[in-house]
Amino acid sequence: MYDVRTIDLAAQELLKKAATDEIETVWDRFDAQQPQCGFGTLGVCCRHCIQGPCRIDPFGQGPSKGICGVTADVIVARNLLRQVAAGSASHVDHAHDAVEALDLAAQGKIDYPITDEGKLRAIAAGLGLDSNMEDVNALALEVVQAAYKDMGNMSRKPMNWVVAHAPKERVEVWEKLGILPRNPDREIREALYQTTMGMDADPLNILLAIAKQGLVDGYAGLKLTTDMQDILFGTPAPVVTESNLGVLKEDYVNLVVHGHVPLLSEKIVQWARKLSPEAEAVGAKGIQVAGICCSGNEVLMRQGVPLATNYLAQELAIVTGAVDTMVVDVQCIMPSLSKIASCYHTELITTMPVVKIPGATHIPFSLENADESAQEIVRKAIKAFTKRDPKKVHIPNYRTTIMAGFSVEAISGALAKLDAEQPLKPLVDNIANGNILGVVATVGCNNVKVTQDQFHVEMVKELVKNNVLVVATGCSAHALAKAGLMNSEGTEEYAGETLKGVLKAIGEAAGLKAPLPPVLHMGSCVDNSRIGDLVTALANYLGVDSAALPVAASAPEPQHEKALSIGTWAVTMGITTHLGVVPPVLGSKEVTELLTNGLTEVIGGKFYVETEPIKAAQGLIEDIKEKRKKLGLK
Ligand code: BF8
Ligand code: SF4
C-alpha cells in the first residue's frame, strides 16, 4: 500500500511497530496540528512587539495593517529575515566552535591533531598568507587569526572569507548592492534590530538584508566550518559503506550519533573502535556506530561510518529497539526522542550546553574533555546493550550500498586521471558538448508536510535520466543514498546514456573499476560550501559569472531555517534555487514576486517554487537549457 508518510521501506515497517508499541511519532503530532494556522502559513502574523500579536486578513475583509501601521508585505519580509538570520546564526556558531577547536589544537591544548596539512596550506595560500611556513601549528594559528579577525571585524570592510573565496564577478555584484557582510555577528544582530517594532518598513530593503544573511551563512557559516573541519579531520575521499536502518546490527552494540558537529562524533567513532574489546566482554560482537542527519554525514564522509537515517525517521531509529545509545549534539534533534527512548532500553545522551532535553542523560562535552566524555558515552552504550530486550527488537532488513566522500578535492582527483594539467577540463568539456546537460545540487531536509524522501528521489531520477549530474548534501543525500542513487548500479539503472558514459569513463580512469554514482554525496549541510567551491572553480576556470553556469539548486523538502539561509546564499550566487515546500511568504504578493522573479535582474538568481517533483525537475532542466543557450551551448 502507498504510504503517504514515507517512501522509505524501513521507516514504513517501523511505523507499524510504532503503532503496536503505542509510540507517538512526528506524523501523529503533525496530524494533531491540523488545520495549521492560515495566518502563520502565509507569514502575515507579527509578534514583534507586545501591542500585538497582529495579523493581516489575507482576504482583504479584515485589518490590512498591524496596530503600528505595518503592511503584510513588511510583516512577511521581516519574518523571513528573522528566519534566515536564525539559519545563519546556527551555522556561524558551528563555525565559531570549529575555529576555536583549530586554535586550541594548534596550541597543543587539546587532543585533536591537525590531520590535513595540505588543506591547511591551500587555505592559507587562498588567504594570502605564507603557506610555505614550515611550522604547521604556527601556520594554523595564522589561519585561526584570520578567521577570528573576520568574526570580530569591527571595521566597515567586508569579511575577508567572502572576498577571498567567492567568484570575483559575484563580489562586484554584492558590493554594488551593498550586501557584503562585515562581521557575521554584527550582521545577525543588525537583522534582529532591523526587524523590531518601528524599524525598516521597506520590503525591498529588507530583502537585500536577507540576501546579505545568505552571504553570512555561505561564507561565515558553511565555508568557514568546512575549511576548519577539513584541516582538523581531513578532506573527504571516496568511501564505500551502506545506508538505512538495516545497518544496525542485532549482535553489536549500536551507538547512533545524531546532530551536526564532528568535534564530538569523530571522537565517538575513534573510541568505539578502541573500546570494542569491552563490548565483546559483555557478549556483543563489537560496536556499530551509525549516523543520523549531518553528524551522520560528517563521519560517513571522513570515516566511512554507515548512515542510519535522515531527519524524519530519527524517532523510528529508536523504535527498532536496537539502538543502545543515541548521542546528540546540536540542531534538528526532536525533543520527543527522550520520551520514546524511555519506552525502550535506549539511553539518549545530550552533550551541548545549548541542547538539554528533560529525561535525557547530559554528559557535558568540551574540547578539553572530549576523550573522557567520548569514552563515557561509548561505555554507557556498552552497558545499555546488556539491558536490551530482544523481544522489542526489530531491525528492518534494508541497506543500500553507498559511495560517498566527494569533496571538491576528491572530484578533481578523479578528473585529474583524465587530465592532470587541467582537472576541471574533462568535466567542462562534457558539459560543453552536452554529455552532461548541467549540474543540480539537491540539499536540505525532510519536511513532515510531504511524504518522506519522495520529492528528493522522484525529482532526482528525472534529472539524471535527462543527463543532469546531481550533487547532494544533508538529508537530501540520505534520501538519495537510501534509494540507491549513490552507487554504480544506480548509474546503470537511472542515468541517461551520455551521463552514464561520462561516469563510466571517470570511474574507470580513477581506478574504481565501476562507474561513479549518478549522485555525488558532497557531505553535510555545512558542506554546501563544497558545492559553492565547485561552482566557483567552474566559474573561474571558464572566466564567467557563476550566475551564467548551467547549474541549479533544489531543496525539495525544506523544514529548517538553515535550509532557507542556504537557499538564500545559492540565490545570491546567481543560481536558480527550487523549493518543494512553500515557505511562509505567500501573504505578500510583493515579497513573493521579488523572491521568485523581481530580484533576478539585480542578483542573477531566484527562488523557484514547484510542489510536484517531475514538474520541478523539468523546470530546473528548462532553466539549465536557457543558461546553456546564453552561453552559446546547444
Ligand atoms: O543541517 S538537512 S533536517 S539535518 S537542516 Fe536538519 Fe535539514 Fe537534515 Fe543537516 Ni540540514
Ligand atoms: Fe503589531 Fe506592529 Fe507590534 Fe508587529 S510591531 S505586533 S504589527 S504593532
Side-chain angles (χ1 to χ4, degrees):
M1 193 193 79
Y2 176 71
D3 194 314
V4 293
R5 293 168 295 182
T6 176
I7 61 162
D8 174 344
L9 297 176
Q12 285 184 10
E13 230 173 84
L14 287 165
L15 274 166
K16 288 190 200 124
K17 182 168 191 287
T20 315
D21 293 359
E22 295 182 353
I23 300 296
E24 178 196 270
T25 69
V26 58
W27 286 277
D28 302 316
R29 296 188 299 273
F30 175 66
D31 289 344
Q33 284 290 337
Q34 300 312 309
Q36 283 174 289
C37 169
F39 297 101
T41 304
L42 295 172
V44 290
C45 60
C46 177
R47 297 191 300 120
H48 292 195
C49 88
I50 40 189
Q51 300 173 98
C54 298
R55 55 195 200 180
I56 307 299
D57 182 351
F59 303 109
Q61 282 154 3
S64 61
K65 292 193 182 68
I67 292 168
C68 64
V70 82
T71 61
D73 297 324
V74 177
I75 292 178
V76 167
R78 284 199 311 211
N79 287 343
L80 185 63
L81 177 51
R82 284 205 171 186
Q83 283 195 295
V84 172
S88 304
S90 315
H91 290 139
V92 170
D93 210 57
H94 181 168
H96 186 273
D97 284 350
V99 177
E100 191 173 53
L102 183 60
D103 183 12
L104 295 174
Q107 292 183 56
K109 289 187 177 161
I110 55 173
D111 191 12
Y112 285 82
I114 290 174
T115 307
D116 197 337
E117 195 184 316
K119 182 96 183 203
L120 170 67
R121 294 195 185 281
I123 290 167
L127 292 167
L129 301 171
D130 173 14
S131 60
N132 296 321
M133 197 185 284
E134 211 170 295
D135 184 339
V136 175
N137 288 328
L139 182 60
L141 286 175
E142 294 229 345
V143 169
V144 163
Q145 284 318 314
Y148 279 149
K149 202 170 155 205
D150 267 351
M151 301 200 101
N153 177 16
M154 285 301 158
S155 79
R156 291 179 181 174
K157 287 203 192 118
M159 279 185 66
N160 194 27
W161 230 266
V162 182
V163 182
H165 297 113
K168 245 194 3 273
E169 289 82 356
R170 282 285 102 194
V171 176
E172 281 164 22
V173 172
W174 301 331
E175 191 168 20
K176 271 197 206 119
L177 291 171
I179 61 169
L180 276 172
R182 296 154 299 184
N183 105 29
D185 294 349
R186 181 172 179 187
E187 303 303 357
I188 292 164
R189 181 183 71 209
E190 191 174 87
L192 287 176
Y193 176 44
Q194 193 172 352
T195 51
T196 56
M197 190 269 145
M199 289 292 289
D200 206 343
D202 178 355
L204 179 61
N205 202 40
I206 297 170
L207 280 186
L208 288 173
I210 292 172
K212 193 200 273 184
Q213 287 301 320
L215 295 177
V216 169
D217 193 33
Y219 294 96
L222 315 179
K223 174 77 180 144
L224 189 51
T225 305
T226 302
D227 284 349
M228 298 298 116
Q229 291 181 170
D230 276 358
I231 295 173
L232 280 168
F233 303 119
T235 304
V239 286
V240 177
T241 178
E242 290 180 317
S243 86
N244 213 343
L245 285 161
V247 303
L248 299 176
K249 292 188 180 138
E250 233 164 88
D251 39 12
Y252 279 65
V253 172
N254 291 311
L255 204 177
V256 169
V257 293
H258 174 18
H260 284 77
V261 182
L263 293 170
L264 167 66
S265 42
E266 279 276 337
K267 286 286 184 191
I268 300 266
V269 173
Q270 202 179 312
W271 279 103
R273 284 172 188 156
K274 281 191 198 154
L275 297 180
S276 187
E278 292 187 21
E280 286 160 34
V282 300
K285 285 194 177 149
I287 302 173
Q288 175 68 55
V289 182
I292 293 183
C293 285
C294 284
S295 286
N297 284 324
E298 295 282 359
V299 289
L300 160 77
M301 292 286 283
R302 298 195 184 85
Q303 304 294 342
V305 168
L307 291 177
T309 195
N310 49 358
Y311 166 76
L312 217 41
Q314 56 184 279
E315 297 172 316
L316 297 177
I318 297 180
V319 174
T320 61
V323 172
D324 301 303
T325 286
M326 183 182 285
V327 56
V328 300
D329 48 72
V330 288
Q331 300 171 21
C332 302
I333 297 146
M334 291 188 197
S336 56
L337 292 176
S338 115
K339 173 83 186 9
I340 298 177
S342 74
C343 301
Y344 300 90
H345 75 296
T346 307
E347 180 149 31
L348 178 70
I349 298 178
T350 55
T351 51
M352 297 295 171
V354 289
V355 183
K356 293 192 179 180
I357 303 175
T361 306
H362 190 74
I363 299 182
F365 168 84
S366 70
L367 292 165
E368 289 81 1
N369 78 356
D371 287 292
E372 289 75 22
S373 28
Q375 284 177 73
E376 192 183 343
I377 290 163
V378 174
R379 290 205 167 99
K380 283 217 179 269
I382 295 170
K383 196 156 168 223
F385 171 82
T386 63
K387 296 187 197 142
R388 200 191 285 174
D389 178 356
K391 289 194 296 296
K392 284 193 173 177
V393 173
H394 173 72
I395 302 174
N397 191 19
Y398 295 101
R399 281 177 298 276
T400 315
T401 303
I402 156 176
M403 184 188 284
F406 291 100
S407 56
V408 176
E409 292 83 346
I411 295 172
S412 311
L415 291 169
K417 301 279 164 40
L418 296 169
D419 188 333
E421 294 286 299
Q422 294 176 291
L424 284 179
K425 190 166 181 293
L427 181 60
V428 169
D429 286 351
N430 277 297
I431 293 175
N433 66 20
N435 284 342
I436 297 175
L437 188 69
V439 183
V440 169
T442 69
V443 309
C445 327
N446 293 135
N447 182 322
V448 70
K449 288 179 174 170
V450 294
T451 305
Q452 185 193 10
D453 294 350
Q454 186 181 29
F455 208 130
H456 296 283
V457 173
E458 287 186 4
M459 185 189 74
V460 167
K461 281 184 182 168
E462 182 69 15
L463 288 170
V464 298
K465 188 174 97 187
N466 284 283
N467 300 305
V468 173
L469 177 67
V470 174
V471 295
T473 57
C475 287
S476 183
H478 278 266
L480 301 169
K482 287 187 279 180
L485 282 148
M486 288 190 174
N487 55 41
S488 303
E489 293 75 40
T491 308
E492 297 292 353
E493 199 171 340
Y494 302 113
E497 283 313 310
T498 54
L499 175 64
K500 200 182 286 179
V502 179
L503 295 170
K504 275 186 179 166
I506 301 174
E508 228 161 78
L512 298 171
K513 296 198 182 100
L516 283 188
V519 181
L520 304 181
H521 192 326
M522 293 192 75
S524 63
C525 287
V526 293
D527 291 338
N528 281 313
S529 65
R530 300 190 198 281
I531 300 174
D533 287 348
L534 185 61
V535 166
T536 304
L538 286 172
N540 289 343
Y541 176 82
L542 291 167
V544 299
D545 184 359
S546 53
L549 296 172
V551 172
S554 168
E557 303 173 18
Q559 63 88 6
H560 204 280
E561 289 165 320
K562 292 177 286 169
L564 292 176
S565 57
I566 294 167
T568 303
W569 172 53
V571 170
T572 62
M573 289 290 279
I575 290 170
T576 298
T577 303
H578 162 255
L579 300 174
V581 177
V582 188
V585 298
L586 294 185
S588 164
K589 274 205 188 97
E590 185 181 350
V591 171
T592 307
E593 150 61 27
L594 282 167
L595 290 171
T596 54
N597 185 32
L599 274 183
T600 315
E601 225 168 87
V602 285
I603 224 160
K606 61 170 184 262
F607 279 106
Y608 158 53
V609 178
E610 172 52 63
T611 56
E612 208 279 309
I614 301 298
K615 276 196 198 151
Q618 286 161 352
L620 291 171
I621 289 170
E622 274 318 301
D623 190 82
I624 284 173
K625 282 185 175 164
E626 234 168 79
K627 294 211 167 161
R628 291 184 66 91
K629 212 161 109 196
K630 282 191 192 146
L631 283 171
L633 304 173
K634 64 166 178 29

